[in-house]
Coordinates of all heavy atoms in Angstrom, one line a residue:
M1 N 0.8 -1.2 0.0 CA 0.0 0.0 0.0 C 0.9 1.2 0.0 O 2.0 1.2 0.5 CB -1.0 0.0 1.2 CG -0.4 0.0 2.5 SD -1.6 -0.4 3.9 CE -1.3 -2.1 4.0
K2 N 0.4 2.3 -0.6 CA 1.2 3.5 -0.7 C 0.4 4.6 -0.2 O -0.8 4.7 -0.3 CB 1.6 3.8 -2.2 CG 2.6 2.7 -2.7 CD 3.2 3.2 -4.0 CE 4.1 2.1 -4.4 NZ 5.0 2.5 -5.4
S3 N 1.1 5.5 0.4 CA 0.5 6.8 1.0 C 1.3 7.9 0.4 O 2.6 7.9 0.5 CB 0.6 6.7 2.5 OG 0.2 7.9 3.0
S4 N 0.7 8.9 -0.2 CA 1.4 10.0 -0.7 C 0.8 11.3 -0.3 O -0.4 11.4 0.1 CB 1.5 9.9 -2.2 OG 0.2 9.9 -2.8
G5 N 1.5 12.4 -0.5 CA 1.1 13.7 -0.1 C 1.8 14.1 1.2 O 1.9 13.2 2.1
T6 N 2.2 15.3 1.3 CA 2.9 15.7 2.5 C 2.0 16.4 3.5 O 2.4 16.6 4.6 CB 4.1 16.6 2.1 OG1 3.6 17.7 1.4 CG2 5.1 15.9 1.3
T7 N 0.8 16.8 3.1 CA -0.1 17.5 4.0 C -1.0 16.5 4.6 O -1.8 15.9 3.9 CB -0.9 18.5 3.2 OG1 -0.1 19.3 2.4 CG2 -1.8 19.3 4.1
A8 N -0.9 16.3 5.9 CA -1.8 15.4 6.6 C -3.0 16.3 7.1 O -2.9 17.5 7.3 CB -1.1 14.8 7.8
L9 N -4.1 15.6 7.3 CA -5.3 16.3 7.9 C -4.9 16.7 9.3 O -4.0 16.1 9.9 CB -6.5 15.3 7.9 CG -7.0 14.8 6.6 CD1 -8.1 13.8 6.8 CD2 -7.6 16.0 5.8
A10 N -5.6 17.7 9.8 CA -5.3 18.0 11.2 C -5.6 16.8 12.1 O -6.6 16.1 11.9 CB -6.3 19.2 11.6
P11 N -4.7 16.6 13.0 CA -4.9 15.4 13.9 C -6.3 15.5 14.5 O -6.7 16.5 15.1 CB -3.8 15.5 14.9 CG -2.8 16.3 14.3 CD -3.5 17.3 13.4
A12 N -7.0 14.4 14.4 CA -8.4 14.3 14.9 C -8.3 13.7 16.3 O -7.3 13.1 16.7 CB -9.3 13.5 14.0
S13 N -9.4 13.7 17.0 CA -9.5 13.0 18.3 C -9.8 11.5 18.0 O -10.8 11.0 18.5 CB -10.5 13.7 19.2 OG -11.8 13.6 18.6
L14 N -9.0 10.9 17.2 CA -9.2 9.5 16.8 C -8.2 8.7 17.5 O -7.0 8.9 17.3 CB -9.1 9.4 15.3 CG -9.2 8.0 14.7 CD1 -10.7 7.5 15.0 CD2 -8.9 7.9 13.2
S15 N -8.7 7.8 18.4 CA -7.8 7.0 19.1 C -7.4 5.7 18.3 O -8.1 5.4 17.3 CB -8.5 6.5 20.4 OG -9.5 5.6 20.1
T16 N -6.3 5.1 18.7 CA -5.9 3.9 18.0 C -7.0 2.8 18.1 O -7.3 2.2 17.2 CB -4.6 3.4 18.7 OG1 -3.6 4.4 18.5 CG2 -4.1 2.1 18.0
H17 N -7.6 2.7 19.3 CA -8.6 1.7 19.5 C -9.8 2.0 18.5 O -10.3 1.0 17.9 CB -9.1 1.8 21.0 CG -10.2 0.7 21.2 ND1 -11.5 0.9 21.1 CD2 -10.0 -0.6 21.6 CE1 -12.2 -0.2 21.4 NE2 -11.3 -1.1 21.7
R18 N -10.3 3.2 18.4 CA -11.4 3.5 17.5 C -11.0 3.2 16.1 O -11.8 2.7 15.3 CB -11.8 5.0 17.7 CG -12.9 5.3 16.8 CD -13.7 6.5 17.2 NE -14.6 7.1 16.2 CZ -15.7 6.5 15.7 NH1 -16.0 5.3 16.1 NH2 -16.4 7.1 14.7
L19 N -9.8 3.6 15.7 CA -9.4 3.4 14.3 C -9.4 1.9 14.0 O -9.8 1.5 12.9 CB -8.0 3.9 14.1 CG -7.4 3.7 12.7 CD1 -8.2 4.3 11.6 CD2 -6.0 4.3 12.6
L20 N -9.0 1.0 15.0 CA -8.9 -0.4 14.7 C -10.2 -1.1 14.8 O -10.4 -2.2 14.3 CB -7.9 -1.0 15.6 CG -6.4 -0.6 15.4 CD1 -5.5 -1.2 16.5 CD2 -6.0 -1.0 14.0
H21 N -11.2 -0.5 15.6 CA -12.4 -1.3 15.9 C -13.7 -0.7 15.4 O -14.7 -1.4 15.3 CB -12.5 -1.5 17.4 CG -11.4 -2.3 17.9 ND1 -11.3 -3.6 17.7 CD2 -10.3 -1.9 18.6 CE1 -10.1 -4.1 18.2 NE2 -9.5 -3.0 18.8
A22 N -13.8 0.6 15.1 CA -15.0 1.2 14.6 C -15.3 0.7 13.2 O -14.4 0.3 12.4 CB -14.9 2.7 14.6
P23 N -16.6 0.7 12.8 CA -16.9 0.3 11.4 C -16.2 1.2 10.4 O -16.2 2.4 10.5 CB -18.4 0.5 11.3 CG -18.9 0.5 12.7 CD -17.8 1.1 13.5
L24 N -15.5 0.5 9.4 CA -14.7 1.3 8.4 C -15.6 2.3 7.7 O -15.1 3.4 7.5 CB -14.1 0.3 7.5 CG -13.1 0.9 6.4 CD1 -12.0 1.8 7.1 CD2 -12.6 -0.1 5.5
P25 N -16.8 2.0 7.2 CA -17.5 3.0 6.4 C -17.8 4.3 7.3 O -17.7 5.4 6.8 CB -18.8 2.3 6.1 CG -18.5 0.9 6.1 CD -17.5 0.7 7.1
E26 N -18.0 4.1 8.6 CA -18.2 5.2 9.5 C -16.9 6.0 9.6 O -17.0 7.3 9.6 CB -18.6 4.6 10.9 CG -18.9 5.6 11.9 CD -19.3 5.0 13.3 OE1 -20.2 4.1 13.3 OE2 -18.6 5.3 14.3
L27 N -15.8 5.4 9.8 CA -14.5 6.1 9.9 C -14.2 6.9 8.6 O -13.8 8.1 8.7 CB -13.4 5.2 10.1 CG -13.3 4.5 11.5 CD1 -12.2 3.5 11.5 CD2 -13.0 5.6 12.6
L28 N -14.4 6.3 7.5 CA -14.1 7.0 6.2 C -15.1 8.2 6.0 O -14.6 9.3 5.6 CB -14.2 6.0 5.0 CG -13.2 4.9 5.0 CD1 -13.4 3.9 3.9 CD2 -11.8 5.4 5.1
A29 N -16.3 8.0 6.3 CA -17.3 9.1 6.2 C -17.0 10.2 7.2 O -17.0 11.4 6.8 CB -18.7 8.6 6.4
E30 N -16.6 9.9 8.4 CA -16.3 10.8 9.4 C -15.1 11.8 9.0 O -15.1 12.9 9.4 CB -16.0 10.1 10.7 CG -15.6 10.9 11.9 CD -15.3 9.9 13.1 OE1 -16.1 9.0 13.4 OE2 -14.3 10.2 13.7
H31 N -14.2 11.2 8.3 CA -13.0 12.0 7.9 C -13.1 12.4 6.4 O -12.1 12.9 5.9 CB -11.8 11.2 8.2 CG -11.6 11.0 9.7 ND1 -11.2 12.0 10.5 CD2 -11.9 9.9 10.5 CE1 -11.2 11.5 11.8 NE2 -11.7 10.3 11.8
G32 N -14.2 12.3 5.8 CA -14.4 12.8 4.4 C -13.5 12.1 3.4 O -13.1 12.7 2.4
V33 N -13.2 10.8 3.6 CA -12.4 10.1 2.7 C -13.2 9.7 1.5 O -14.2 9.0 1.6 CB -11.7 8.9 3.3 CG1 -10.8 8.1 2.4 CG2 -10.8 9.4 4.5
E34 N -12.7 10.0 0.3 CA -13.3 9.6 -1.0 C -12.6 8.3 -1.4 O -11.3 8.2 -1.3 CB -13.1 10.6 -2.1 CG -13.7 10.2 -3.4 CD -13.4 11.1 -4.5 OE1 -12.8 12.2 -4.3 OE2 -13.7 10.8 -5.7
V35 N -13.3 7.2 -1.7 CA -12.7 6.0 -2.1 C -13.1 5.7 -3.6 O -14.3 5.8 -4.0 CB -13.2 4.8 -1.3 CG1 -12.6 3.5 -1.7 CG2 -12.9 5.1 0.2
V36 N -12.1 5.4 -4.4 CA -12.3 5.0 -5.8 C -11.8 3.6 -5.9 O -10.8 3.2 -5.3 CB -11.7 6.0 -6.8 CG1 -12.3 7.3 -6.8 CG2 -10.2 6.1 -6.7
E37 N -12.5 2.8 -6.7 CA -12.0 1.4 -7.0 C -11.5 1.3 -8.4 O -12.2 1.8 -9.4 CB -13.2 0.5 -6.8 CG -12.8 -1.0 -6.7 CD -14.0 -1.8 -6.3 OE1 -14.3 -1.8 -5.1 OE2 -14.5 -2.6 -7.1
L38 N -10.3 0.8 -8.6 CA -9.7 0.7 -9.9 C -9.1 -0.7 -10.0 O -8.7 -1.4 -9.1 CB -8.5 1.7 -10.0 CG -8.9 3.2 -9.8 CD1 -7.6 4.0 -9.8 CD2 -9.7 3.6 -11.0
E39 N -8.9 -1.1 -11.3 CA -8.2 -2.4 -11.6 C -6.7 -2.1 -11.3 O -6.2 -1.0 -11.6 CB -8.4 -2.8 -13.0 CG -9.8 -3.2 -13.4 CD -10.2 -4.4 -12.6 OE1 -9.4 -5.3 -12.4 OE2 -11.4 -4.5 -12.3
A40 N -6.0 -3.0 -10.7 CA -4.6 -2.8 -10.3 C -3.8 -4.1 -10.4 O -4.4 -5.1 -10.4 CB -4.5 -2.2 -8.9
D41 N -2.5 -3.9 -10.3 CA -1.6 -5.1 -10.3 C -1.9 -5.9 -9.0 O -2.3 -5.3 -8.0 CB -0.2 -4.6 -10.3 CG 0.3 -4.0 -11.6 OD1 -0.3 -4.3 -12.7 OD2 1.2 -3.1 -11.6
P42 N -1.7 -7.2 -9.1 CA -2.0 -8.0 -7.9 C -1.2 -7.6 -6.6 O -1.8 -7.8 -5.5 CB -1.5 -9.4 -8.4 CG -1.6 -9.4 -9.8 CD -1.3 -8.0 -10.2
G43 N -0.1 -7.1 -6.7 CA 0.7 -6.7 -5.5 C 0.3 -5.4 -4.9 O 0.7 -5.1 -3.8
F44 N -0.6 -4.6 -5.5 CA -1.0 -3.3 -5.0 C -2.3 -3.5 -4.2 O -3.3 -4.0 -4.7 CB -1.3 -2.4 -6.2 CG -1.8 -1.0 -5.8 CD1 -0.9 -0.1 -5.2 CD2 -3.1 -0.6 -6.0 CE1 -1.4 1.2 -4.8 CE2 -3.6 0.6 -5.6 CZ -2.7 1.5 -5.0
T45 N -2.2 -3.2 -2.9 CA -3.4 -3.4 -2.0 C -4.1 -2.1 -1.7 O -5.2 -2.1 -1.1 CB -2.9 -4.0 -0.7 OG1 -1.9 -3.2 -0.1 CG2 -2.3 -5.4 -0.9
G46 N -3.6 -1.0 -2.2 CA -4.4 0.3 -2.0 C -3.4 1.5 -1.8 O -2.2 1.3 -1.7
G47 N -4.0 2.7 -1.9 CA -3.1 3.8 -1.7 C -4.0 5.0 -1.3 O -5.2 5.0 -1.3
S48 N -3.3 6.1 -0.9 CA -4.0 7.3 -0.4 C -3.2 8.5 -1.0 O -2.0 8.4 -1.3 CB -4.0 7.4 1.1 OG -2.7 7.5 1.6
F49 N -4.0 9.5 -1.1 CA -3.4 10.8 -1.6 C -4.1 11.9 -0.9 O -5.4 12.0 -0.8 CB -3.6 10.9 -3.1 CG -3.0 12.2 -3.7 CD1 -1.6 12.2 -3.9 CD2 -3.8 13.3 -4.0 CE1 -1.0 13.4 -4.3 CE2 -3.2 14.4 -4.5 CZ -1.8 14.5 -4.7
V50 N -3.3 12.8 -0.3 CA -3.9 14.0 0.3 C -3.8 15.1 -0.7 O -2.7 15.5 -1.1 CB -3.1 14.3 1.7 CG1 -3.7 15.6 2.3 CG2 -3.2 13.2 2.6
R51 N -4.9 15.6 -1.1 CA -4.9 16.7 -2.1 C -4.5 18.0 -1.5 O -4.5 18.2 -0.2 CB -6.3 16.8 -2.6 CG -6.8 15.5 -3.3 CD -8.3 15.7 -3.8 NE -8.8 14.6 -4.5 CZ -9.8 13.9 -4.1 NH1 -10.6 14.3 -3.1 NH2 -10.3 12.9 -4.9
G52 N -4.2 19.0 -2.3 CA -3.8 20.3 -1.9 C -4.8 21.0 -0.9 O -4.4 21.7 -0.1
D53 N -6.1 20.7 -1.1 CA -7.1 21.3 -0.3 C -7.3 20.5 1.1 O -8.1 20.9 1.9 CB -8.4 21.4 -1.0 CG -9.1 20.1 -1.3 OD1 -8.5 19.0 -1.0 OD2 -10.1 20.1 -1.9
G54 N -6.5 19.5 1.3 CA -6.6 18.7 2.5 C -7.5 17.5 2.4 O -7.6 16.7 3.3
S55 N -8.3 17.4 1.3 CA -9.2 16.3 1.2 C -8.4 15.0 0.9 O -7.3 15.1 0.4 CB -10.3 16.5 0.1 OG -9.6 16.6 -1.1
V56 N -8.9 13.8 1.2 CA -8.2 12.6 1.1 C -8.9 11.7 0.1 O -10.1 11.5 0.1 CB -8.1 11.9 2.5 CG1 -7.4 10.6 2.3 CG2 -7.4 12.8 3.5
L57 N -8.1 11.0 -0.7 CA -8.6 10.1 -1.7 C -7.9 8.7 -1.4 O -6.7 8.7 -1.2 CB -8.2 10.5 -3.1 CG -8.4 9.5 -4.2 CD1 -9.9 9.3 -4.5 CD2 -7.7 9.9 -5.5
F58 N -8.7 7.7 -1.3 CA -8.1 6.3 -1.2 C -8.4 5.6 -2.5 O -9.5 5.7 -3.0 CB -8.8 5.5 0.0 CG -8.3 5.9 1.4 CD1 -7.4 6.9 1.6 CD2 -8.7 5.1 2.4 CE1 -6.9 7.2 2.9 CE2 -8.3 5.4 3.7 CZ -7.4 6.4 3.9
V59 N -7.4 4.8 -2.9 CA -7.6 3.9 -4.1 C -7.7 2.5 -3.6 O -6.8 2.0 -2.9 CB -6.4 4.1 -5.0 CG1 -6.6 3.1 -6.2 CG2 -6.3 5.5 -5.5
R60 N -8.8 1.9 -3.9 CA -9.1 0.5 -3.6 C -9.0 -0.4 -4.8 O -9.7 -0.2 -5.8 CB -10.5 0.4 -2.9 CG -10.8 -1.1 -2.6 CD -12.2 -1.1 -2.0 NE -12.5 -2.5 -1.6 CZ -13.5 -2.9 -1.0 NH1 -14.5 -2.0 -0.7 NH2 -13.7 -4.2 -0.7
P61 N -8.1 -1.4 -4.8 CA -8.0 -2.3 -6.0 C -9.3 -3.1 -6.1 O -9.8 -3.6 -5.1 CB -6.8 -3.2 -5.7 CG -6.2 -2.6 -4.5 CD -7.1 -1.7 -3.8
A62 N -9.8 -3.2 -7.3 CA -11.0 -4.0 -7.6 C -10.8 -5.5 -7.4 O -9.7 -6.0 -7.6 CB -11.5 -3.7 -9.0
G63 N -11.8 -6.2 -6.9 CA -11.7 -7.6 -6.8 C -10.9 -8.2 -5.7 O -10.6 -9.4 -5.6
R64 N -10.4 -7.4 -4.8 CA -9.5 -7.9 -3.7 C -10.4 -8.2 -2.5 O -11.5 -7.7 -2.3 CB -8.5 -6.8 -3.3 CG -7.6 -6.4 -4.4 CD -6.8 -7.5 -5.0 NE -5.9 -8.1 -4.1 CZ -4.5 -7.9 -4.1 NH1 -4.0 -7.1 -5.0 NH2 -3.8 -8.4 -3.2
P65 N -9.9 -9.1 -1.6 CA -10.7 -9.5 -0.4 C -11.1 -8.3 0.5 O -10.3 -7.4 0.7 CB -9.8 -10.5 0.3 CG -8.8 -10.9 -0.7 CD -8.7 -9.8 -1.6
V66 N -12.3 -8.4 1.1 CA -12.7 -7.3 2.0 C -11.8 -7.2 3.2 O -11.5 -6.1 3.6 CB -14.2 -7.6 2.4 CG1 -14.6 -6.6 3.5 CG2 -15.1 -7.5 1.3
V67 N -11.3 -8.3 3.7 CA -10.5 -8.2 4.9 C -9.2 -7.5 4.6 O -8.6 -6.8 5.4 CB -10.2 -9.6 5.5 CG1 -9.4 -10.5 4.6 CG2 -9.6 -9.5 6.9
E68 N -8.7 -7.7 3.4 CA -7.5 -7.0 2.9 C -7.7 -5.5 2.9 O -6.9 -4.7 3.3 CB -7.1 -7.5 1.5 CG -5.8 -6.8 1.0 CD -5.5 -7.4 -0.4 OE1 -4.8 -8.4 -0.5 OE2 -5.9 -6.7 -1.4
W69 N -8.9 -5.1 2.4 CA -9.2 -3.7 2.3 C -9.4 -3.1 3.7 O -9.0 -1.9 4.0 CB -10.5 -3.4 1.5 CG -10.9 -2.0 1.5 CD1 -12.0 -1.4 2.0 CD2 -10.1 -0.9 1.0 NE1 -12.0 -0.1 1.9 CE2 -10.9 0.3 1.3 CE3 -8.9 -0.7 0.4 CZ2 -10.4 1.6 0.9 CZ3 -8.4 0.6 0.1 CH2 -9.2 1.7 0.3
E70 N -9.9 -3.8 4.6 CA -10.1 -3.4 6.0 C -8.7 -3.0 6.6 O -8.5 -2.0 7.2 CB -10.7 -4.5 6.9 CG -12.2 -4.6 6.7 CD -13.0 -3.6 7.5 OE1 -12.6 -3.1 8.6 OE2 -14.2 -3.3 7.1
I71 N -7.7 -3.9 6.4 CA -6.4 -3.7 6.9 C -5.8 -2.5 6.3 O -5.2 -1.6 6.9 CB -5.5 -4.9 6.7 CG1 -6.0 -6.1 7.6 CG2 -4.0 -4.6 7.0 CD1 -5.4 -7.5 7.2
T72 N -5.8 -2.5 4.9 CA -5.2 -1.4 4.2 C -5.8 0.0 4.5 O -5.1 0.9 4.8 CB -5.4 -1.7 2.6 OG1 -4.8 -2.9 2.3 CG2 -4.8 -0.6 1.8
A73 N -7.1 0.1 4.5 CA -7.8 1.4 4.7 C -7.5 1.9 6.1 O -7.2 3.1 6.3 CB -9.3 1.2 4.5
R74 N -7.5 1.0 7.1 CA -7.2 1.5 8.5 C -5.8 1.9 8.6 O -5.5 2.9 9.2 CB -7.6 0.4 9.5 CG -9.1 0.2 9.6 CD -9.4 -1.1 10.4 NE -10.8 -1.5 10.3 CZ -11.8 -0.9 10.9 NH1 -11.6 0.1 11.7 NH2 -13.0 -1.3 10.7
A75 N -4.8 1.2 7.9 CA -3.4 1.6 8.0 C -3.2 2.9 7.3 O -2.5 3.8 7.8 CB -2.6 0.5 7.4
L76 N -3.9 3.1 6.1 CA -3.7 4.4 5.4 C -4.3 5.5 6.2 O -3.7 6.6 6.3 CB -4.4 4.3 4.0 CG -3.7 3.3 3.0 CD1 -4.6 3.1 1.8 CD2 -2.3 3.8 2.7
L77 N -5.5 5.3 6.8 CA -6.2 6.4 7.5 C -5.3 6.8 8.7 O -5.1 7.9 9.1 CB -7.6 6.0 8.0 CG -8.4 7.1 8.6 CD1 -8.6 8.3 7.7 CD2 -9.8 6.5 9.0
G78 N -4.8 5.7 9.4 CA -3.9 6.0 10.5 C -2.7 6.8 10.1 O -2.3 7.8 10.8
R79 N -2.1 6.5 9.0 CA -0.9 7.2 8.5 C -1.3 8.7 8.2 O -0.6 9.6 8.5 CB -0.4 6.5 7.3 CG 0.9 7.1 6.7 CD 2.1 7.0 7.7 NE 2.5 5.7 8.0 CZ 3.5 5.0 7.6 NH1 4.3 5.6 6.7 NH2 3.8 3.8 7.9
V80 N -2.4 8.9 7.5 CA -2.8 10.2 7.1 C -3.2 11.1 8.3 O -2.8 12.2 8.3 CB -4.1 10.1 6.1 CG1 -4.7 11.5 6.0 CG2 -3.7 9.5 4.8
L81 N -3.8 10.5 9.3 CA -4.2 11.2 10.5 C -3.1 11.2 11.6 O -3.3 11.8 12.6 CB -5.5 10.7 11.0 CG -6.7 10.9 10.1 CD1 -7.9 10.2 10.8 CD2 -7.0 12.3 9.9
R82 N -2.0 10.5 11.3 CA -0.9 10.4 12.3 C -1.4 9.8 13.6 O -1.0 10.3 14.7 CB -0.3 11.8 12.5 CG 0.2 12.5 11.3 CD 1.3 11.8 10.6 NE 1.8 12.6 9.5 CZ 2.2 12.0 8.4 NH1 2.2 10.7 8.2 NH2 2.7 12.7 7.3
V83 N -2.2 8.8 13.5 CA -2.6 8.0 14.7 C -1.6 6.9 14.8 O -1.3 6.1 13.9 CB -4.0 7.4 14.5 CG1 -4.4 6.5 15.6 CG2 -5.0 8.6 14.3
P84 N -1.1 6.7 16.0 CA -0.1 5.6 16.3 C -0.8 4.2 16.1 O -1.9 4.0 16.6 CB 0.4 5.8 17.7 CG -0.3 7.0 18.2 CD -1.3 7.5 17.2
L85 N -0.2 3.4 15.3 CA -0.7 2.1 15.0 C 0.4 1.0 15.2 O 1.5 1.3 14.9 CB -1.3 2.0 13.6 CG -2.5 2.7 13.3 CD1 -2.8 2.7 11.8 CD2 -3.7 2.1 14.1
P86 N 0.0 -0.2 15.5 CA 1.0 -1.3 15.5 C 1.4 -1.6 14.1 O 0.7 -1.1 13.1 CB 0.2 -2.5 16.1 CG -1.2 -2.1 16.0 CD -1.3 -0.7 15.9
P87 N 2.5 -2.2 13.9 CA 2.9 -2.6 12.5 C 1.8 -3.4 11.8 O 1.1 -4.1 12.4 CB 4.1 -3.4 12.6 CG 4.6 -3.2 14.0 CD 3.4 -2.8 14.8
V88 N 1.7 -3.1 10.5 CA 0.7 -3.9 9.7 C 1.2 -5.3 9.6 O 2.4 -5.6 9.6 CB 0.5 -3.3 8.3 CG1 -0.2 -2.0 8.4 CG2 1.8 -3.2 7.5
P89 N 0.3 -6.3 9.5 CA 0.7 -7.7 9.4 C 1.5 -8.0 8.1 O 1.2 -7.4 7.1 CB -0.6 -8.5 9.5 CG -1.7 -7.5 9.2 CD -1.1 -6.2 9.4
A90 N 2.4 -8.9 8.2 CA 3.1 -9.4 7.0 C 2.1 -10.0 6.1 O 1.2 -10.6 6.6 CB 4.2 -10.4 7.3
P91 N 2.2 -9.9 4.8 CA 3.2 -9.3 4.0 C 3.0 -7.9 3.6 O 3.6 -7.3 2.7 CB 3.1 -10.2 2.7 CG 1.7 -10.4 2.6 CD 1.1 -10.6 4.0
F92 N 2.1 -7.2 4.3 CA 1.8 -5.8 4.0 C 2.9 -4.9 4.4 O 3.7 -5.2 5.3 CB 0.5 -5.3 4.7 CG -0.7 -6.0 4.3 CD1 -1.3 -7.1 5.1 CD2 -1.4 -5.7 3.2 CE1 -2.4 -7.8 4.7 CE2 -2.6 -6.4 2.8 CZ -3.0 -7.4 3.5
E93 N 3.0 -3.7 3.8 CA 3.9 -2.7 4.2 C 3.3 -1.4 3.7 O 2.6 -1.3 2.7 CB 5.3 -2.9 3.6 CG 5.4 -2.8 2.1 CD 6.8 -3.0 1.6 OE1 7.4 -4.1 1.8 OE2 7.3 -2.1 1.0
V94 N 3.6 -0.3 4.4 CA 3.2 1.0 4.1 C 4.4 1.8 3.6 O 5.4 1.9 4.3 CB 2.5 1.8 5.3 CG1 2.1 3.2 4.9 CG2 1.3 1.0 5.8
T95 N 4.3 2.4 2.4 CA 5.4 3.2 1.8 C 4.9 4.6 1.6 O 3.8 4.7 1.0 CB 5.8 2.5 0.5 OG1 6.2 1.2 0.7 CG2 7.0 3.3 -0.1
E96 N 5.6 5.6 2.1 CA 5.2 7.0 1.9 C 6.0 7.5 0.7 O 7.2 7.3 0.7 CB 5.4 7.8 3.1 CG 4.2 7.8 4.0 CD 4.3 8.9 5.1 OE1 4.2 10.1 4.7 OE2 4.2 8.5 6.3
V97 N 5.4 8.1 -0.2 CA 6.0 8.7 -1.4 C 5.9 10.2 -1.3 O 4.9 10.7 -1.0 CB 5.4 8.1 -2.7 CG1 6.1 8.7 -3.9 CG2 5.4 6.6 -2.7

C-alpha cells in the first residue's frame, strides 16, 4: 500500500482503538475520505493521496478480499491522520512517497 502527499489532515481525536475497531464506512465518512475502486496489479493493495485542499482520496483495488481492504484502509487512515498504530501484518507494508 502506498501513501502520498505531504499534507496530513489536522490530527483528529481519533484513538488507536477507535481506528482499529469502529466500522470502516463510519470512519471514512467521518473523515471525508473519498474511495475510488480501480483495476490494479496483484501486488497493489491500496493507496492514499492527500490533495492540496486537504481532502483525502483512497484507491481500492477491484476484486480484492474485503479483509485486505479493512487492513489497508485502516493503515492508510492512521498514516494520514498520524494515529499511532501497531505494524501492519506481513506481507503488508506502508510506503510513503
